[in-house]
Amino acid sequence: MSTVSIRVAAETDFDPARRVLRAAYAGYESSFPEANWVPYLKDILDLEGRADASELLVAEMDGEIVGCVSYFPPGSKASYPSDAFSERWPSDWAAFRLLSVDPQIGGRGIGRQLTEACIERARQGGSPALGLHTTAPMAIARGMYERMGFKRAPQYDFRPGPTVLVEAYRLSL
């Protein structure tokens, strides 16, 4: 099995990371009403729009970007397509969003490695907790987060539309 390395993305990694994001999230499109999906997909692919507040971490294998995640250090705002339902984590928490792995190579622990990289950054930054949001259709990721010790934090849930519940999880550090 090839070795996977996790590193901070260079600007030249943005387009390959966008391809991974598009492929990884394509399977969820039918789970969202179009009114929610269109702005969500635009936000998913807007790496430059969150570059000032976050750090894009990429998973590289055999010279190819095969996964990525946006890590938000304590004090930053991990926003969504609308400020009406942007994350309102406590200011000393770290967070991450949009964990994705190329669907063609899923099941190799790459998502876990990216999550562990976020946990390590949060610990190094002195954060007492690491937050994330996910949805019911993202069952594989939810299961992984729960196995890693993340617990539900429903006080940080939100609804971007009447049929979509975005569930919050936190890991105490």
Side-chain angles (χ1 to χ4, degrees), residues 13-168:
D13 296 320
F14 281 19
D15 283 337
R18 247 188 291 279
R19 281 192 290 278
V20 170
L21 283 159
R22 186 180 303 275
Y25 280 86
Y28 303 118
E29 181 175 0
S30 64
S31 301
F32 290 84
E34 185 177 352
N36 295 112
W37 179 253
V38 171
Y40 185 40
L41 180 61
K42 182 179 177 188
D43 177 63
I44 288 168
L45 301 176
D46 186 14
L47 298 173
E48 293 82 0
R50 58 183 169 274
D52 288 345
S54 69
E55 186 174 54
L56 181 66
L57 304 178
V58 293
E60 186 174 20
M61 184 172 70
D62 299 330
E64 299 289 325
I65 302 301
V66 295
C68 61
V69 65
S70 291
Y71 170 75
F72 294 82
S76 63
K77 179 183 172 193
S79 64
Y80 282 82
S82 167
D83 277 343
F85 50 84
S86 285
E87 294 182 34
R88 303 285 187 235
W89 301 118
S91 63
D92 58 346
W93 285 24
F96 68 92
R97 288 193 61 214
L98 303 170
L99 177 75
S100 63
V101 175
D102 184 330
Q104 296 180 356
I105 60 161
R108 298 185 190 186
I110 296 168
R112 184 177 188 92
Q113 289 178 41
L114 285 163
T115 303
E116 287 170 348
C118 292
I119 293 168
E120 182 59 30
R121 279 176 163 64
R123 283 187 174 131
Q124 288 175 354
S127 181
L130 177 63
L132 68 92
H133 281 111
T134 191
T135 61
M138 299 175 184
I140 292 172
R142 286 167 43 135
M144 178 190 73
Y145 299 140
E146 289 170 357
R147 286 188 303 278
M148 293 180 77
F150 284 85
K151 304 289 184 208
R152 285 282 287 121
Q155 67 271 34
Y156 301 109
D157 289 357
F158 66 91
R159 286 190 177 276
T163 62
V164 178
L165 175 63
V166 180
E167 298 175 328

